[in-house]
Amino acid sequence: MKEALLFIVELINDFHDNIIHLVEMAGFQLTDKQLHFWIIGIFGMVIFFITHVVFKYIAKFGILCISFIYTMTVLVVIVFAIEIQQKITNRGNMEFEDIVQGLWGFLALFFAFLSIYIVYKGAVKIMEKTRSQKGRKGKSGSRMSRYHSS
């Protein structure tokens, strides 16, 4: 886990240095805060547009899919933050396996919920179909009796 974090930090630092070099070559004199404003702003907008297109497509399958993706994303951030906090404070071991197990816990409980949800929705659909068929039989039967008795 430590090696993975160090690798990610090194990538970010290299990216940061390259951006500073490009900005200076272009003749701009930006402070670190200004650089962060523009880079994170642009990066955020790219992520937003990609996410918007993807979520718009996924929304066709229901809001449940979007809720799952959002929850999973938040959990990934939280479990990484917990592991980093454990490393900084020395109040636990920073292990990638802890992250994996935490996320598996969510997935297991979510799929249990999803199974119950699917059964419930299926039962509701069957009950509605049965009610609508009974309603049609009752109405058509009363009409028929009027015509046959005349």
Side-chain angles (χ1 to χ4, degrees):
M1 170 83 175
K2 182 179 177 182
E3 294 79 26
L5 285 175
L6 290 174
F7 176 72
I8 291 169
V9 167
E10 188 64 32
L11 283 177
I12 292 170
N13 283 336
D14 288 346
F15 178 75
H16 184 267
D17 294 343
N18 289 332
I19 290 294
I20 289 173
H21 182 69
L22 286 172
V23 167
E24 288 173 352
M25 281 179 46
F28 295 109
Q29 297 298 320
L30 299 176
T31 67
D32 194 47
K33 287 172 183 42
Q34 291 170 329
L35 186 63
H36 281 245
F37 175 88
W38 286 107
I39 298 303
I40 300 301
I42 292 168
F43 189 60
M45 290 309 296
V46 168
I47 292 171
F48 170 78
F49 288 122
I50 292 169
T51 303
H52 182 69
V53 169
V54 170
F55 278 24
K56 198 170 182 179
Y57 173 76
I58 291 172
K60 294 175 184 179
F61 301 103
I63 195 73
L64 189 70
C65 294
I66 294 172
S67 297
F68 171 78
I69 292 169
Y70 178 79
T71 303
M72 191 68 178
T73 304
V74 169
L75 281 177
V76 166
V77 171
I78 289 171
V79 296
F80 269 97
I82 289 169
E83 290 303 309
I84 292 168
Q85 175 269 340
Q86 285 182 341
K87 176 65 175 173
I88 291 170
T89 62
N90 290 320
R91 299 189 82 182
N93 296 327
M94 185 173 74
E95 297 174 340
F96 187 73
E97 188 62 29
D98 291 348
I99 292 171
V100 171
Q101 287 303 307
L103 294 175
W104 271 117
F106 167 67
L107 289 173
L109 294 175
F110 178 79
F111 284 113
F113 158 76
L114 190 59
S115 299
I116 294 167
Y117 180 80
I118 289 169
V119 168
Y120 170 76
K121 284 296 206 180
V124 166
K125 202 174 226 178
I126 289 170
M127 288 175 20
E128 287 174 351
K129 191 174 185 179
T130 304
R131 270 193 232 135
S132 69
Q133 287 176 348
K134 283 182 182 178
R136 275 190 252 136
K137 285 181 183 176
K139 288 179 183 176
S140 64
S142 63
R143 283 189 205 140
M144 292 294 257
S145 61
R146 270 193 254 152
Y147 294 118
H148 287 294
S149 63
S150 312

